Amino acid sequence: MTDIHGNVPALKAVLEEIDKRKDVEHIYCLGDMIGIGPDSNEVLSMLFSRSNVSMITGNHDEAILALLKGQEYPKSHSQIREHHQWIADRLDPSFIIKLEKLPRMIRKNINGCQLLFIHYHIENRKLNEHISNDPFSSIVEPSLENVEALFKHYDEDLICFGHHHPTHLFRGDNAIYLNPSSLGCNNKPTAPYAIVTVQDGEIEVSLKEATYNNSSFLESYHKLQIPDRDFILKVFHGNQI
């Protein structure tokens, strides 16, 4: 799962579906748990309380952390700084250290296959750069040709990423590239995620969507007077209200 963006009812819907299954061993969350949506504390509480979830940071998580720690804020995010400050001002301080400890990528060998979990491509020279230096800035519209070029220095069999909110699933000669789509930002009341099965050196990807009632969540943007709410509801939620 990826890009929950502070949407707790969407996350609940997905976790309820996953918990009903008997074949899910672990959950990988590919960053941007917070930002855009208002439910930061609830989302992080749900994720950090589970023993079967591994997380990495995304650009929104790191930009909000920079504000919380009084560090330089990324210029590329300047248009949403007020919104990020609103999130930061309401974040439970106990989550700061937990977010700081999260990595930017996870590599795993599962049943003979190499898997990479990353929010988006980061150039090698920027792997340890602060968010103010825009390590996630190499944004291109995903296509098989583009992602093969972006990740050409990686040798994993499956590369899972987020950042772009539409779904992407490409099978190249050397790797499968999977973006399950933003779980929390959609133009309909569904929360996308993916089930990956790795067995005997083979990888199978099944794209899923959990349905949920998002009316109260969307209305909360106005009730809470969230900065940039009209833009967010239009661009990230398809003006559903």
Side-chain angles (χ1 to χ4, degrees), residues 17-154:
E17 284 197 358
I18 290 174
D19 288 342
K20 290 177 182 177
R21 302 177 64 106
K22 304 298 183 183
D23 58 347
V24 175
E25 295 180 6
H26 204 76
I27 299 169
Y28 293 91
C29 185
L30 309 182
D32 280 0
M33 287 75 70
I34 59 176
I36 298 181
D39 304 333
S40 303
N41 293 319
E42 297 88 341
V43 163
L44 293 178
S45 179
M46 290 180 67
L47 293 171
F48 280 120
S49 67
R50 297 176 68 105
S51 60
N52 66 337
V53 174
S54 295
M55 288 176 272
I56 57 178
T57 55
N59 55 297
H60 283 261
D61 310 309
E62 293 189 20
I64 292 167
L65 269 180
L67 291 174
L68 287 163
K69 297 173 65 181
Q71 297 173 346
E72 186 178 354
Y73 184 80
K75 292 179 180 178
S76 62
H77 290 52
S78 60
Q79 74 277 12
I80 56 172
R81 181 168 184 153
E82 182 185 3
H83 174 78
H84 276 169
Q85 188 66 61
W86 189 94
I87 299 289
D89 290 343
R90 289 156 179 78
L91 190 70
D92 186 326
S94 66
F95 291 128
I96 297 175
I97 294 177
K98 292 180 178 181
L99 286 170
E100 281 184 300
K101 291 181 178 179
L102 296 179
R104 278 181 170 162
M105 68 171 67
I106 297 173
R107 284 185 158 106
K108 296 288 290 186
N109 184 315
I110 300 176
N111 294 336
C113 291
Q114 299 291 335
L115 279 67
L116 172 70
F117 305 94
I118 189 169
H119 184 63
Y120 197 64
H121 171 262
I122 304 175
E123 296 178 41
N124 287 335
R125 63 187 179 90
K126 289 190 174 183
L127 281 174
N128 298 309
E129 289 286 327
H130 188 264
I131 185 63
S132 60
N133 293 324
D134 296 329
F136 299 104
S137 63
S138 57
I139 300 174
V140 298
E141 182 61 32
S143 65
L144 176 57
E145 181 181 8
N146 288 343
V147 293
E148 284 186 325
L150 277 179
F151 294 102
K152 63 183 178 181
H153 298 300
Y154 296 82

Side-chain angles (χ1 to χ4, degrees), residues 97-241:
I97 294 177
K98 292 180 178 181
L99 286 170
E100 281 184 300
K101 291 181 178 179
L102 296 179
R104 278 181 170 162
M105 68 171 67
I106 297 173
R107 284 185 158 106
K108 296 288 290 186
N109 184 315
I110 300 176
N111 294 336
C113 291
Q114 299 291 335
L115 279 67
L116 172 70
F117 305 94
I118 189 169
H119 184 63
Y120 197 64
H121 171 262
I122 304 175
E123 296 178 41
N124 287 335
R125 63 187 179 90
K126 289 190 174 183
L127 281 174
N128 298 309
E129 289 286 327
H130 188 264
I131 185 63
S132 60
N133 293 324
D134 296 329
F136 299 104
S137 63
S138 57
I139 300 174
V140 298
E141 182 61 32
S143 65
L144 176 57
E145 181 181 8
N146 288 343
V147 293
E148 284 186 325
L150 277 179
F151 294 102
K152 63 183 178 181
H153 298 300
Y154 296 82
D155 58 4
E156 279 79 10
D157 303 298
L158 172 66
I159 296 175
C160 301
F161 63 97
H163 200 42
H164 283 270
H165 289 183
T167 305
H168 301 102
L169 178 58
F170 306 112
R171 292 182 178 269
D173 293 334
N174 300 311
I176 299 171
Y177 304 90
L178 167 65
N179 171 8
S181 180
S182 172
L183 183 150
C185 295
N186 206 335
N187 59 6
K188 56 184 178 178
T190 59
Y193 65 103
I195 299 291
V196 176
T197 304
V198 185
Q199 192 171 13
D200 299 326
E202 297 292 329
I203 297 172
E204 178 184 335
V205 177
S206 179
L207 298 174
K208 303 290 185 181
E209 282 189 339
T211 59
Y212 69 104
N213 186 333
N214 66 353
S215 57
S216 294
F217 171 76
L218 296 176
E219 290 167 3
S220 71
Y221 280 90
H222 292 297
K223 289 181 179 179
L224 297 172
Q225 296 290 290
I226 298 171
D228 302 320
R229 55 191 173 277
D230 291 332
F231 172 79
I232 290 171
L233 288 169
K234 177 182 178 181
V235 173
F236 295 106
H237 297 292
N239 268 343
Q240 294 177 71
I241 59 171

